[in-house]
Amino acid sequence: MHRTIKKIEEDTERFSFNTAVSTFMICVNDLADLKCHKKEILEKLLILLTPYAPHISEELWDQLGNQGSVLDAAYPTFNPALLVESTKEYPVSINGKLRTNIELTLDLEQPQVEELVLQNEVVQKWLDGKAPKKIIFVKNKMINVVI
Amino acid sequence: MEYDFRKIEQHWQEAWKKNGSYKVSNESAKPKYYVLDMFPYPSGAGLHVGHPLGYIASDIYSRYKRLKGFNVLHPMGFDSFGLPAEQYALETGQHPAATTEKNIATFKAQLDKIGFCYDWDRELRTSDPQFYKWTQWIFLQLFNSYFCNTQKKARPIADLVKKYETKGNPHFTAEQWNAFTKKEQEEILMNRRLAFSKYGEVNWCEALGTVLANDEIVNGVSERGGHPVEKKKMRQWYLRITAYADRLLEGLETVEFSESMKEMQRNWIGKSEGAEMEFDLIPGPSPEREGSRSSKLRVYTTRPDTIFGVDFMVLAPEHELVTVITTTGQKAEVEKYLHYVKSRSERERLAEAKIITGCFTGAYAINPFDGREIPIWIAEYVLAGYGTGAIMAVPCGDQRDFAFAKHFDIPITNIIGSHYNGEEANPTKDAILENSGFLNGLLMKDAIVVAINKIEELGIGKRKVNYRMRDAGFSRQRYWGEPFPIIWSDGVAIPLDAEELPLELPHVDTYGPGPEGEGPLANITEWVELTPGGEVKRETSTMPGYAGSSWYFLRYMDPENETTFCDRKASDYWNQVDLYIGGTEHAVGHLLYSRMWTKVLFDLGLIGFDEPFKKLLNQGMIQGSSRFVYRLDELVSNFDGSDKIQLGEYNFFISCNIAMPTDSDFDRLRIATLINEKTPGLLNIQTINNYGFSFSTLHVDVNIVDGVELNIEEFKKWKSSEFANAEFILENGQIYLWCGNRENEQAKFNTVDPSVLCEKYGADTFRMYEMFLGPVEASKPWDTKGIEGVHRFLRKLWRLFNEASAKAGKI
């Protein structure tokens, strides 16, 4: 959500309204996929959307039980700290061939990573019960399992 | 719950109106922000999809700024004086005020449907007497001011009068001034006023019955209607915008306009620095020239560094020296050429650069530095109105001079060595000069100053700054504009008092022109003649379309004020327009005039800023792309064309890719079979390969088109059901159309009414879709195909919230 706030604000400031519309679409798709129903997040989205689609924003704002008009709501601010990525989707290769992806938090070190990789279904299928010769882990980049 | 956008949008538009949600106050502790759209001319066609692009962008930005805590002024109004309403009045006899009123009502209804956050309490119309009262008042400020060349600003003309009365000027003493008659004094003052009247050549358009501004003429014909334009001498009003040329240039450095916009204004102002110098003429054998031995030829050049490369001179055919210098031997030739030039319009003379014409006068000018004799020619490409009406031609450095020299076999002097290849001219400033006397060995750039210094030293010329811009014509021989608050008495223009404003437009019975090219107002004798016999009479011209728009942005700040055009407190608070959005077509018209008016009002201490628009954003155009449907015309025998079967009457419409397949050969048999399915037995399938089909394209109203697909049901109802019984040869169940851009098509079916889209998809969808089309500044074709996707997005958003509240309800 903070990424969306930042992007919409930047796009609007530089009159790049077409990219802002795309950002809204992506954001709503993501929220729908996540089945996100948190009021505080949805409210922020409405305020961002108000300049673009004022009628639906005002209606939904009203339905959320807000007092007053969305026209005068306080524009949400984004927290830059939250924009730092905390996880990464690592590509996992087996003998150099890309086989799957695993999402891991960035603070993990080699032993924890090895443990999690070996639990992965796809990796287990390729290992077929054998132990790997080696697991190469390059932080923030990739994982390679050598059989 | 369903997303019932019609109900929601209507509900909130009414609620916002009832609650005064968009009312803006001049009293606020918040920081201000002023967002302005170039206001529209309320044409009869109403709003089309091109208009709202900029309006939506400005609306989004205004609402965004409001959410960010600004007090935002975002008004709307109408530039309601203008030629189309008058043309319509001429044709129908309806008063322009009535049609304008009606058109504005349509515009407002359309704008309201899109849900803009305008404070309609601040709406203004330039044709409203309460508005044009102040346009007339500002005109009087311009009339009563002059440009002080030492302070470089406008000052009251009374200051100048005081100076003349006490000190005189270089041309007359104080005593002489005081001895002048009132009329003589007024004539001198008229030469200094910022709004002034003089006899001038104007662009007279017979068909429109009016005088046009230079920027209302495109390629030599009127912008509206494409009628021919000719020169005519008439008393006209002008704005002395040339006095502000330098400040208009300097001001560009302080505003955020696009570089191309700034460049357009710079080019229009056309400042060049160079030298004006005089050439001695060689006395010839003609006795007619005896008396004019002392005549010299004055030439303006921006490139005095090329003086040694001058191989000939060219005078405008109208140049006063032509008859004086032409030798007896060349007289017949020159006269023949002058006769030819008379038949040519200015546009033809300038535009047809490929046809080289000219005539030698037989006379020579002397190069003051090396004594070389330079032949003097006349040619139509040199116009009398620009510079001195004479140029020095340097063929190795100027392509037009080069072509002229080649055409007439005039020897070319090369002063730039290897930079000149003999094939074409090279306008460089980076060559080292050769064959150039005292300039030899100098870089051309550096030689410019050296040459000017030498010219001044020898007393044969001086530095001179030239501007391409001319003073702006400010009167029109029309009805539907602001009347001038001016009375003429014995050839002297007398301004009305401020208390007499507004001078309202009188009612006229006919909108046709008055006598001798005057405007329609000249026909109302009782209004014009203030004394019996008409010794004292009113000015009968009206102000041009750009008068009201030159200052309207100030009136929005204080629209109700009855005592002044805009209270200083209000203009100090709102200050400059922070963001101005509009098309590039106003680059050299409105955007220069409004900048000039702002500077004058600033100079007179009436406002506190001298540039009206801090940032300008130019929205692109939405091109109404046209759609065409193929119709089967006839079947012609391949061999000799003798056998024809007319098929037009059956109205067979064929999908684009069947009629004109791109990936396969044209399939006669298939089409014939399809036709026979619709009308059994019409064609003989056995012989079909001996025939060829011919098609025509029919321009279809884009309102009955979805992307490239024809809405067949709507099409059958179109044009009073002309095609109700048409047959359709489909492709994947559709009639696909051919797309093209035919801007000048007579029948325009490519205007889409935004209200129709708002009705169908909702204003929110329409707003987001217009933005989704691409960057605001870019021009793009209109296509409704993607609007469904944007609409689905809003439905998805709606569902997301409904699920949320359903979930909240359960817990």
Side-chain angles (χ1 to χ4, degrees):
Chain A
M1 193 60 210
H2 281 261
R3 210 184 318 286
T4 304
I5 296 172
K6 183 166 181 281
K7 182 88 168 61
I8 296 293
E9 181 165 343
E10 284 172 357
D11 286 350
T12 308
E13 279 290 353
R14 60 189 176 97
F15 312 107
S16 181
F17 304 119
N18 57 323
T19 53
V21 172
S22 305
T23 306
F24 280 124
M25 291 177 164
I26 294 166
C27 175
V28 168
N29 280 339
D30 287 352
L31 291 177
D33 290 348
L34 291 170
K35 302 215 181 304
C36 171
H37 299 136
K38 280 188 203 136
K39 189 175 176 226
E40 64 194 77
I41 288 182
L42 295 179
E43 267 182 10
K44 280 184 180 150
L45 173 66
L46 279 188
I47 299 169
L48 294 182
L49 187 67
T50 294
Y52 291 82
H55 308 86
I56 193 171
S57 303
E58 186 83 296
E59 173 71 20
L60 293 173
W61 180 260
D62 190 53
Q63 285 181 17
L64 286 179
N66 284 291
Q67 298 294 316
S69 168
V70 73
L71 303 177
D72 288 311
Y75 204 78
T77 49
F78 60 89
N79 182 353
L82 293 179
L83 291 181
V84 179
E85 297 274 355
S86 58
T87 64
K88 171 160 178 74
E89 186 144 314
Y90 282 94
V92 180
S93 303
I94 304 205
N95 287 341
K97 269 216 162 87
L98 180 69
R99 296 298 179 190
T100 186
N101 294 302
I102 300 178
E103 182 149 345
L104 299 173
T105 53
L106 280 170
D107 52 2
L108 296 184
E109 297 300 331
Q110 179 94 19
Q112 298 144 300
V113 171
E114 283 191 17
E115 197 180 315
L116 287 166
V117 166
L118 291 175
Q119 283 170 13
N120 180 280
E121 266 183 47
V122 181
V123 176
Q124 283 182 351
K125 196 186 110 204
W126 285 97
L127 283 173
D128 201 14
K130 286 173 276 189
K133 282 187 188 147
K134 199 164 139 195
I135 294 177
I136 302 162
F137 166 64
V138 183
K139 200 166 185 172
N140 215 357
K141 277 245 154 39
M142 47 71 75
I143 298 162
N144 189 16
V145 183
V146 184
I147 304 171
Chain B
M1 197 164 48
E2 261 299 288
Y3 172 37
D4 187 348
F5 57 85
R6 286 189 197 92
K7 205 173 126 202
I8 293 168
E9 291 180 357
Q10 198 190 348
H11 170 76
W12 287 109
Q13 283 172 10
E14 280 166 11
W16 289 328
K17 198 171 172 182
K18 200 176 107 227
N19 301 334
S21 302
Y22 299 126
K23 183 118 187 62
V24 181
S25 167
N26 284 5
E27 313 285 332
S28 170
K30 293 178 186 174
K32 71 96 191 186
Y33 201 87
Y34 187 1
V35 183
L36 185 63
D37 293 290
M38 289 185 188
F39 62 166
Y41 172 79
S43 78
L47 211 61
H48 60 80
V49 288
H51 278 116
L53 184 66
Y55 300 163
I56 294 170
S58 65
D59 198 65
I60 290 173
Y61 203 74
S62 302
R63 289 171 179 277
Y64 166 76
K65 278 290 180 186
R66 176 171 173 171
L67 289 168
K68 291 287 260 182
F70 288 82
N71 185 28
V72 181
L73 179 57
H74 182 225
M76 181 50 84
F78 299 93
D79 194 8
S80 47
F81 270 137
L83 201 46
E86 185 157 346
Q87 286 289 103
Y88 190 71
L90 263 173
E91 288 158 22
T92 63
Q94 277 198 59
H95 196 282
T99 47
T100 302
E101 185 69 38
K102 200 174 120 227
N103 293 346
I104 289 177
T106 310
F107 262 75
K108 282 183 77 169
Q110 288 178 308
L111 290 170
D112 278 342
K113 279 218 172 93
I114 307 172
F116 290 122
C117 62
Y118 304 132
D119 178 358
W120 280 120
D121 289 348
R122 292 177 187 253
E123 178 197 344
L124 52 84
R125 303 169 181 192
T126 54
S127 61
D128 177 351
Q130 286 316 307
F131 179 87
Y132 70 68
K133 170 183 178 176
W134 299 109
T135 309
Q136 291 171 334
W137 185 82
I138 296 174
F139 169 82
L140 291 180
Q141 309 310 305
L142 290 159
F143 179 80
N144 286 320
S145 303
Y146 76 106
F147 193 80
C148 172
N149 288 317
T150 44
Q151 293 183 18
K152 304 265 177 237
K153 60 177 270 200
R155 290 175 59 187
I157 197 99
D159 292 359
L160 189 67
V161 173
K162 202 168 282 167
K163 196 183 135 209
Y164 288 167
E165 282 170 355
T166 54
K167 294 187 194 133
N169 85 348
H171 302 290
F172 49 79
T173 62
E175 291 73 38
Q176 282 173 313
W177 168 263
N178 292 323
F180 286 149
T181 62
K182 170 85 179 144
K183 193 174 176 182
E184 285 166 338
Q185 289 180 343
E186 283 300 328
E187 273 167 15
I188 291 165
L189 291 177
M190 194 59 108
N191 290 327
R192 300 299 303 273
R193 295 180 187 277
L194 289 179
F196 64 101
S197 163
K198 67 166 185 186
Y199 279 95
E201 273 203 338
V202 294
N203 305 303
W204 169 250
C205 178
E206 184 82 47
L208 296 178
T210 188
V211 173
L212 300 172
N214 284 330
D215 41 292
E216 286 176 313
I217 300 167
V218 177
N219 296 327
V221 295
S222 66
E223 190 180 17
R224 247 188 62 82
H227 302 295
V229 175
E230 58 186 274
K231 296 276 176 205
K232 183 172 175 166
K233 280 221 177 230
M234 280 176 84
R235 196 178 246 293
Q236 293 292 315
W237 286 92
Y238 294 86
L239 296 183
R240 204 176 300 281
I241 193 169
T242 50
Y244 278 90
D246 277 331
R247 281 182 53 196
L248 288 168
L249 282 173
E250 289 156 14
L252 286 176
E253 306 304 320
T254 68
V255 293
E256 290 175 62
F257 289 11
S258 70
E259 202 37 54
S260 68
M261 178 61 68
K262 288 184 179 181
E263 204 49 35
M264 273 193 266
Q265 295 212 344
R266 284 191 201 109
N267 284 337
W268 183 262
I269 296 166
K271 181 178 183 172
S272 65
E273 291 176 32
E276 194 171 276
M277 57 187 296
E278 290 184 330
F279 290 81
D280 280 322
L281 299 167
I282 294 200
S286 162
E288 290 167 43
R289 288 183 46 260
E290 284 301 309
S292 51
R293 254 172 214 284
S294 58
S295 295
K296 291 186 180 196
L297 176 61
R298 272 174 53 224
V299 170
Y300 174 79
T301 177
T302 57
R303 296 294 303 273
D305 54 313
T306 62
I307 183 71
F308 290 92
V310 180
D311 289 320
F312 56 99
M313 299 283 184
V314 188
L315 305 189
E318 298 85 356
H319 197 286
E320 55 188 17
L321 275 179
V322 173
T323 50
V324 181
I325 63 172
T326 302
T327 58
T328 320
Q330 287 300 107
K331 206 173 169 195
E333 280 292 307
V334 166
E335 271 170 12
K336 206 170 110 197
Y337 186 68
L338 292 179
H339 185 75
Y340 156 78
V341 172
K342 260 201 191 118
S343 71
R344 308 264 290 161
S345 72
E346 188 168 302
R347 174 178 65 110
E348 289 170 327
R349 288 172 58 174
L350 284 175
E352 293 169 20
K354 286 202 176 98
I355 308 165
I356 299 165
T357 68
C359 183
F360 180 44
T361 61
Y364 292 84
I366 300 168
N367 187 321
F369 295 111
D370 60 6
R372 198 148 64 99
E373 296 181 3
I374 311 166
I376 303 175
W377 289 66
I378 56 172
E380 60 177 335
Y381 74 83
V382 177
L383 296 177
Y386 180 66
T388 61
I391 60 157
M392 52 181 236
V394 182
C396 74
D398 181 287
Q399 190 55 32
R400 206 160 47 170
D401 297 347
F402 175 83
F404 194 88
K406 282 282 172 200
H407 189 81
F408 291 109
D409 273 330
I410 302 168
I412 295 172
T413 308
N414 179 15
I415 53 166
I416 51 175
S418 58
H419 288 270
Y420 170 67
N421 60 10
E423 301 287 321
E424 59 182 354
N426 184 350
T428 180
K429 282 184 186 171
D430 293 319
I432 303 283
L433 284 161
E434 296 175 15
N435 295 326
S436 289
F438 70 99
L439 297 174
N440 273 339
L442 287 177
L443 193 63
M444 298 179 97
K445 276 194 245 209
D446 306 331
I448 295 177
V449 183
V450 178
I452 296 182
N453 288 343
K454 190 86 175 175
I455 289 164
E456 290 196 324
E457 197 184 305
L458 294 175
I460 52 172
K462 55 180 194 306
R463 270 188 175 74
K464 191 161 180 198
V465 177
N466 222 19
Y467 297 96
R468 189 177 295 124
M469 183 168 66
R470 296 277 158 259
D471 284 327
F474 195 67
S475 43
R476 299 285 185 275
Q477 283 60 47
R478 299 180 183 159
Y479 173 71
W480 193 232
E482 300 86 348
F484 279 86
I486 291 285
I487 288 167
W488 289 96
S489 173
D490 188 26
V492 174
I494 303 163
L496 294 186
D497 288 335
E499 293 72 49
E500 296 174 78
L501 303 180
L503 172 63
E504 290 201 32
L505 257 183
H507 183 80
V508 284
D509 294 325
T510 160
Y511 303 99
E516 292 166 55
E518 281 193 80
L521 292 180
N523 293 325
I524 326 168
T525 318
E526 63 277 17
W527 183 80
V528 175
E529 296 182 357
L530 297 172
T531 54
E535 271 150 32
V536 180
K537 53 191 255 181
R538 290 189 195 279
E539 169 67 52
T540 59
S541 314
T542 54
M543 296 186 198
Y546 66 80
S549 62
S550 291
W551 76 280
Y552 76 113
F553 44 91
L554 298 169
R555 189 65 181 171
Y556 283 129
M557 300 173 181
D558 195 9
E560 308 272 308
N561 201 319
E562 287 178 14
T563 54
T564 180
F565 71 105
C566 174
D567 191 78
R568 183 67 196 260
K569 222 174 106 200
S571 64
D572 279 349
Y573 174 67
W574 289 112
N575 209 271
Q576 288 174 292
V577 174
D578 293 283
L579 175 66
Y580 195 32
I581 300 189
T584 52
E585 67 273 21
H586 301 289
V588 292
H590 162 60
L591 284 171
L592 271 178
Y593 303 130
S594 50
R595 291 183 59 218
M596 180 207 168
W597 285 42
T598 303
K599 287 178 191 301
V600 176
L601 293 172
F602 171 76
D603 289 351
L604 298 176
L606 298 166
I607 54 174
F609 47 92
D610 88 331
E611 280 291 340
F613 315 118
K614 199 167 170 183
K615 182 178 173 65
L616 174 71
L617 184 70
N618 297 115
Q619 92 262 10
M621 300 220 288
I622 291 199
Q623 286 125 357
S625 144
S626 304
R627 298 287 186 272
F628 302 88
V629 62
Y630 281 102
R631 175 163 63 174
L632 199 51
D633 260 5
E634 55 185 20
L635 200 59
V636 187
S637 64
N638 279 344
F639 305 113
D640 52 5
S642 60
D643 186 19
K644 284 188 189 174
I645 302 169
Q646 292 297 336
L647 297 170
E649 63 189 278
Y650 294 96
N651 277 326
F652 283 112
F653 290 95
I654 301 189
S655 188
C656 171
N657 297 315
I658 302 177
M660 294 286 155
T662 48
D663 54 353
S664 61
D665 288 338
F666 182 75
D667 191 343
R668 291 188 187 88
L669 189 60
R670 178 173 171 218
I671 294 179
T673 311
L674 290 169
I675 290 171
N676 274 0
E677 276 172 22
K678 305 276 179 192
T679 315
L682 182 66
L683 302 177
N684 184 343
I685 299 292
Q686 267 70 45
T687 59
I688 198 71
N689 274 334
N690 299 331
Y691 289 84
F693 287 101
S694 78
F695 299 98
S696 58
T697 50
L698 181 74
H699 195 164
V700 185
D701 188 336
V702 285
N703 289 303
I704 54 171
V705 170
D706 185 10
V708 292
E709 294 160 14
L710 184 69
N711 183 329
I712 293 173
E713 289 316 306
E714 289 294 321
F715 179 73
K716 284 182 170 178
K717 287 184 236 157
W718 186 50
K719 283 195 169 183
S720 320
S721 303
E722 185 183 334
F723 305 115
N725 299 318
E727 294 287 358
F728 299 89
I729 298 175
L730 307 174
E731 174 187 356
N732 306 327
Q734 295 289 350
I735 289 282
Y736 293 110
L737 303 170
W738 179 70
C739 310
N741 281 317
R742 281 203 212 165
E743 297 290 348
N744 298 322
E745 193 78 12
Q746 265 301 317
K748 288 237 183 211
F749 297 121
N750 49 9
T751 49
V752 184
D753 176 357
S755 306
V756 173
L757 295 167
C758 286
E759 179 58 30
K760 193 167 171 191
Y761 299 101
D764 286 338
T765 298
F766 177 69
R767 292 166 63 102
M768 291 196 90
Y769 182 59
E770 281 245 354
M771 292 299 103
F772 182 70
L773 282 174
V776 182
E777 295 98 322
S779 288
K780 48 229 158 201
W782 175 254
D783 180 357
T784 49
K785 195 69 185 164
I787 199 165
E788 296 274 4
V790 175
H791 189 62
R792 275 195 300 275
F793 154 73
L794 287 176
R795 286 193 177 280
K796 192 163 193 172
L797 176 86
W798 182 263
R799 271 201 310 278
L800 180 68
F801 278 77
N802 269 267
E803 284 162 15
S805 50
K807 205 170 136 194
K810 268 178 220 157
I811 301 163

